[in-house]
Amino acid sequence: MTLELALQAIGWPLDDDGQPAVAEWREALLQHPDARPVRVIEQHRSGYVVADGPDTGFTVESLPEWQRPPSYKKGGIPPEQRAAVGDWVLIEPATGKDQIVALLPRRSAIKRGAAGEHYRQQLIAANVDTVFVVCGLDADFNPRRIERYLLLVQGSGAEPVVVLTKSDQVDDVPGSLAALVELAAQDIAVRAVNARDPDSVAALKPWLRPGRTAVLVGSSGAGKSTLTNTLLGIERMKTGEVRESDARGRHTTTHRALIPLPTGACLIDTPGMRELKPTGEEDVAENFSDVEALAAECRFRDCRHLKEPGCAVRAAIEGGRLDPQRFANYLKLGDEVAGAADRLAHRRAQSVDKKAPGKPPTGKPDNRNGKR
């Protein structure tokens, strides 16, 4: 297998002339004539594992600035600006092991607000074509959580597909599909599968063509690792039982990893995520176009959809045309995104140096002569 074919097998896009299909990537290669592209397949605290083909994997040194603690302050590198699984980087030979010299611009990025009190973004995966939002049809089934996942995916540059696993364990699959009818109106595909059955999982093959990359996201116990094993045809990923009380599972996947599939596609499996905080960059209106369309029909433009006369949203809820829980989630997510957007703006303001060259800021001491 040639180097070009090996790279294509792990998602490297080429145009008809055999050049990288992304113009910025071609420019980066010209700026680093001694470098070669590789893809990040694992990310650990100690560094990165990269690959230049479907059957390779080796460690590399990260950029020196990535070896310092991430920071949003001036001169610091925020965590989302460092390489993650799915990223393409350029490496050059160095003493001991190859070293990353550049991070190539991303075609897509799936992010969330990291857990904790302070604002921070966490990159889930980069350069993916499809995001499989995996949810079990057992007690794990939760349309509101699916809406939250879709909020993080929309606008990322990747196509969302909702995958409902454990279809063999429940009786009313059509009822669950009916609960997600709004997604069909937004052209979001929904597939119910038995994650252990290769014939059932074949329903996902349209999104797993050669050269494509997909990422699995969902809570622990949803069946992501089982789905990965079935797509691979081997028991590679560790799986675990779920608790009977709430159908939640343990974190059997402990880190993100990019895995080549027999179809020629690549799959990124991720640990279960219990907390899904928005980054502040999301567009709630895009994910709730049905609610937005109803709101546009209200008599008053500033309608709060409470008790105002002529409220189309309340009329749709009372008439059974809009799920009240979906509307409540629309309001809740809107508040969360607005709050995250404020924190994001504050972080970005912190990273801007407002000090004029050669002049101390007003109100701060001039250490050169002791004056203010």
Side-chain angles (χ1 to χ4, degrees):
M1 182 182 291
T2 65
L3 176 59
E4 289 77 12
L5 288 176
L7 289 172
Q8 277 187 294
I10 56 172
W12 181 254
L14 295 177
D15 60 21
D16 294 336
D17 297 328
Q19 296 296 317
V22 183
E24 293 87 346
W25 295 8
R26 296 195 295 269
E27 295 171 4
L29 285 167
L30 290 175
Q31 294 173 4
H32 299 275
D34 297 328
R36 61 190 180 97
V38 293
R39 195 169 196 187
V40 177
I41 60 173
E42 292 184 24
Q43 178 184 1
H44 303 279
R45 292 182 179 178
S46 57
Y48 297 96
V49 179
V50 300
D52 54 10
D55 300 315
T56 65
F58 52 96
T59 60
V60 292
E61 289 286 346
S62 63
L63 285 166
E65 54 264 37
W66 292 353
Q67 297 174 17
R68 296 191 290 268
S71 173
Y72 285 91
K73 296 181 180 179
K74 181 175 173 57
I77 307 296
E80 71 273 13
Q81 294 181 17
R82 304 174 183 219
V85 173
D87 265 320
W88 287 94
V89 296
L90 299 182
I91 62 172
E92 290 182 354
T95 303
K97 63 176 66 174
D98 292 341
Q99 184 173 36
I100 296 174
V101 295
L103 169 64
L104 296 182
R106 294 168 178 140
R107 297 186 298 112
S108 64
I110 314 301
K111 298 183 291 184
R112 68 167 174 170
E117 189 175 327
H118 300 289
Y119 181 90
R120 185 168 60 89
Q121 292 187 6
Q122 181 182 25
L123 190 64
I124 299 171
N127 298 310
V128 299
D129 302 289
T130 304
V131 180
F132 289 131
V133 178
V134 184
C135 183
L137 282 167
D138 51 6
D140 181 59
F141 182 68
N142 186 331
R144 308 288 81 81
R145 192 190 311 129
I146 292 173
E147 291 168 355
R148 184 175 287 269
Y149 272 110
L150 293 175
L151 177 69
L152 302 184
V153 175
Q154 295 280 38
S156 66
E159 177 188 4
V161 176
V162 176
V163 181
L164 305 177
T165 59
K166 308 180 185 180
S167 62
D168 57 315
Q169 300 180 23
V170 295
D171 298 326
D172 188 18
V173 174
S176 297
L177 294 175
L180 301 175
V181 66
E182 294 89 354
L183 304 186
Q186 299 177 51
D187 294 325
I188 298 175
V190 181
R191 297 291 184 270
V193 303
N194 173 2
R196 300 183 185 277
D197 181 4
D199 292 335
S200 179
V201 170
L204 306 181
K205 285 188 176 179
W207 295 278
L208 296 172
R209 299 189 301 273
R212 309 279 290 181
T213 301
V215 60
L216 301 171
V217 298
S219 58
S220 298
K224 300 188 302 298
S225 295
T226 300
L227 190 59
T228 300
N229 288 338
T230 301
L231 290 169
L232 278 170
I234 59 173
E235 292 291 321
R236 170 170 171 170
M237 307 301 289
K238 183 180 179 182
T239 60
E241 297 296 328
V242 299
R243 296 192 299 259
E244 292 185 4
S245 59
D246 57 5
R248 292 295 179 90
R250 300 183 183 91
H251 291 289
T252 54
T253 299
T254 57
H255 63 274
R256 296 169 183 84
L258 184 144
I259 307 165
L261 297 177
T263 63
C266 289
L267 189 68
I268 300 175
D269 191 13
T270 65
M273 290 179 279
R274 298 191 185 279
E275 189 171 5
L276 291 171
K277 296 169 60 177
T279 65
E281 299 172 334
E282 298 82 5
D283 183 359
V284 177
E286 183 179 357
N287 288 265
F288 292 85
S289 57
D290 55 331
V291 180
E292 291 284 321
L294 288 169
E297 298 176 2
C298 291
R299 180 184 303 177
F300 302 106
R301 296 185 61 181
D302 60 347
C303 182
R304 295 180 298 167
H305 318 302
L306 297 174
K307 295 182 179 180
E308 295 86 346
C311 176
V313 172
R314 300 308 310 179
I317 292 175
E318 293 167 4
R321 292 179 288 113
L322 176 63
D323 186 338
Q325 293 183 345
R326 176 171 171 80
F327 177 63
N329 206 32
Y330 161 80
L331 296 176
K332 180 180 180 181
L333 292 175
D335 289 342
E336 289 185 25
V337 170
D342 288 342
R343 291 190 291 274
L344 174 59
H346 178 69
R347 282 295 189 188
R348 287 175 173 169
Q350 283 185 320
S351 66
V352 176
D353 185 11
K354 299 180 180 179
K355 179 180 177 181
K359 294 182 180 180
T362 303
K364 290 188 177 182
D366 184 343
N367 294 327
R368 293 173 296 178
N369 54 22
K371 298 180 180 180
R372 288 186 179 270

